[in-house]
Amino acid sequence: MSGEIQVSGSVSIPESELNWRFSRSSGPGGQHVNTSATAAELSFDVANSPSLPEHLRARALDRLAGRLVRGVLTVRAEEYRSQLRNRDAARTRLAALLADATAPPPKRRIPKKVPRGINERRLENKKRRSAVKRQRSSRWD
C-alpha cells in the first residue's frame, strides 16, 4: 500500500488528505463479522483539496455532484473479510472515481451528411420490399 492515490499521470492525492473510518461489516465472515471492524470507509474532501488543480477540482465537483456531501466524497468497502483488503478496495474505487471525474470530456462528434448512394439504396430496398408484399396480398384475392 503506497502513501498516495494516483488519479492521473501528474495528479496524486497524499495519504494525509484521506480520512479513514472503520466499522463492523455486513459482508462475509461468519461470527468474525460481529466482533471486528473490517468495513472501511474512505473520505476525501474534493472541494478543499490542495492537491487537485483548480480546473480538475471544478470538473470533479460538477461530475460527482450527486455523490458529494458538502464537497466530501465517501467510498465504503465491506466485501472482504479483512480490513486491509477492504482498505485496498476503497482506495482503488476512490482512484477510479476521481480518474473518471477528472478525465477530459470526450471529443464532440461532428455529424456528417449521409451520402446520396446510401439513401438511394435504402429507398430502393423499401420499394422492392413493398412490391413483394403488394404482390403477396393480391395473389389471394
Side-chain angles (χ1 to χ4, degrees):
M1 225 163 60
S2 68
E4 50 188 39
I5 293 179
Q6 195 69 28
V7 176
S8 67
S10 61
V11 180
S12 60
I13 300 166
E15 186 74 34
S16 60
E17 291 187 35
L18 304 176
N19 294 320
W20 289 99
R21 235 177 70 196
F22 304 101
S23 60
R24 291 190 180 148
S25 175
S26 64
Q31 292 177 347
H32 173 70
V33 169
N34 302 329
T35 59
S36 58
T38 57
E41 197 171 280
L42 176 59
S43 299
F44 172 62
D45 191 356
V46 179
N48 301 317
S49 172
S51 28
L52 283 178
E54 188 57 43
H55 69 284
L56 293 181
R57 182 181 307 123
R59 192 181 294 162
L61 286 172
D62 183 46
R63 290 185 181 169
L64 294 172
R67 290 200 58 153
L68 298 177
V69 177
R70 292 189 208 101
V72 177
L73 176 64
T74 303
V75 175
R76 182 174 170 85
E78 58 180 348
E79 57 266 12
Y80 297 109
R81 290 178 65 152
S82 78
Q83 188 184 94
L84 183 64
R85 288 182 70 186
N86 282 331
R87 284 175 66 121
D88 288 342
R91 289 169 65 88
T92 304
R93 213 174 296 155
L94 180 73
L97 273 171
L98 288 174
D100 287 345
T102 58
K107 196 174 172 184
R108 279 195 57 206
R109 180 186 169 273
I110 301 170
K112 304 284 189 223
K113 185 181 174 193
V114 179
R116 189 186 322 157
I118 290 177
N119 221 6
E120 288 174 357
R121 272 194 303 268
R122 181 180 62 85
L123 292 175
E124 185 58 40
N125 284 337
K126 283 179 76 162
K127 285 178 188 174
R128 193 176 310 119
R129 193 79 189 133
S130 173
V132 165
K133 290 189 173 197
R134 200 175 330 111
Q135 202 174 21
R136 283 182 190 159
S137 65
S138 64
R139 191 182 313 168
W140 298 103
D141 283 344

